Amino acid sequence: MVIASALQLIGVMLVLGFEQLVQWKLGAMGLVALFLLAVGLKARNSTCASLGAVILLLLMTNR
């Protein structure tokens, strides 16, 4: 039980760290794109996931 809690805490810390990195590198639009990608993958909505991926790709190529 303790190990599962520790792994969950580590997972949350990694996700939050990744979100901060995206916001620092790509700004608020990067967070919106990451949100669209995550929601699209979770809901199995290819339109939403594709839109998030394309926005992230455009933001990364403009830098």
Side-chain angles (χ1 to χ4, degrees), residues 5 8-9 16 20 22 25-27 29-32 36 39 41 44 51 57 60:
S5 297
Q8 187 176 12
L9 179 65
L16 290 175
Q20 289 296 319
V22 168
K25 283 290 223 183
L26 302 175
M29 196 61 187
L31 281 180
V32 170
L36 283 172
V39 168
L41 291 174
R44 296 182 188 255
L51 184 62
L57 181 68
M60 286 184 204

Side-chain angles (χ1 to χ4, degrees), residues 3-63:
I3 294 174
S5 297
L7 288 176
Q8 187 176 12
L9 179 65
I10 291 170
V12 168
M13 290 173 54
L14 287 173
V15 168
L16 290 175
F18 182 70
E19 286 179 0
Q20 289 296 319
L21 179 67
V22 168
Q23 185 176 11
W24 174 64
K25 283 290 223 183
L26 302 175
M29 196 61 187
L31 281 180
V32 170
L34 186 63
F35 175 76
L36 283 172
L37 182 62
V39 168
L41 291 174
K42 182 94 170 162
R44 296 182 188 255
N45 184 341
S46 61
T47 303
C48 190
S50 298
L51 184 62
V54 167
I55 293 171
L56 276 175
L57 181 68
L58 288 173
L59 287 172
M60 286 184 204
T61 56
N62 283 340
R63 300 264 171 190

